[in-house]
Amino acid sequence: MPLHMIKLCVGVSEVETLERRAAKNEWLIVHTRMTPKRAAEIEDGGSLYWVIKGSVACRMPITDITTEGEGKTSRCRITLAPRVIRTAPLARRPFQGWRYFDPKDAPADLSSLDAGDMPEDLAKQLREMGAW
């Protein structure tokens, strides 16, 4: 089972913005300071889950993780597939950097849930209350 990552999507207030950027091949490379020690597990089918406005809203599959440079100047480059997959909303408090995200804690994809025509705001409220 692949391991995932979770990160705040700073500067983006809605999933549609991320979808438009991904369609233009923008935001497909994310730079971070620290390289995950468990990169092999993540590259084996893992995704980067994005926290937008206080809740996990979507994910993008990770295709590659590489380290650029050496020593104190090294940086990690995370390459994402140009596909944004919406997820069930899951409240998350702010944090710095990225975190590992265990598959058992990850929200389900909206395509695999039967939400019908429920508005996203209502689904988020129900999820936060623990009713859905």
Side-chain angles (χ1 to χ4, degrees), residues 7-19:
K7 184 170 176 42
L8 297 179
C9 197
V10 179
V12 174
S13 60
E14 55 189 54
V15 178
E16 289 81 9
T17 303
L18 193 58
E19 289 172 334

Side-chain angles (χ1 to χ4, degrees), residues 9-22 27 50-55 57-58 84 86 120-121 124:
C9 197
V10 179
V12 174
S13 60
E14 55 189 54
V15 178
E16 289 81 9
T17 303
L18 193 58
E19 289 172 334
R20 283 191 300 273
R21 289 180 176 181
W27 276 53
W50 289 110
V51 177
I52 299 174
K53 292 183 85 176
S55 67
C58 61
V84 177
R86 290 176 182 250
E120 189 172 322
D121 294 348
K124 180 179 176 183

Side-chain angles (χ1 to χ4, degrees), residues 96-113:
Q96 290 185 343
W98 57 266
R99 303 281 184 267
Y100 291 117
F101 200 39
D102 199 300
K104 68 177 174 50
D105 298 328
D109 294 346
L110 282 182
S111 61
S112 67
L113 294 175

Side-chain angles (χ1 to χ4, degrees), residues 16-46:
E16 289 81 9
T17 303
L18 193 58
E19 289 172 334
R20 283 191 300 273
R21 289 180 176 181
K24 295 179 192 175
N25 287 332
E26 296 175 1
W27 276 53
L28 297 182
I29 296 177
V30 177
H31 293 275
T32 66
R33 193 166 47 131
M34 302 300 294
T35 300
K37 294 184 185 335
R38 299 171 67 183
E41 293 174 69
I42 296 168
E43 289 175 318
D44 189 28

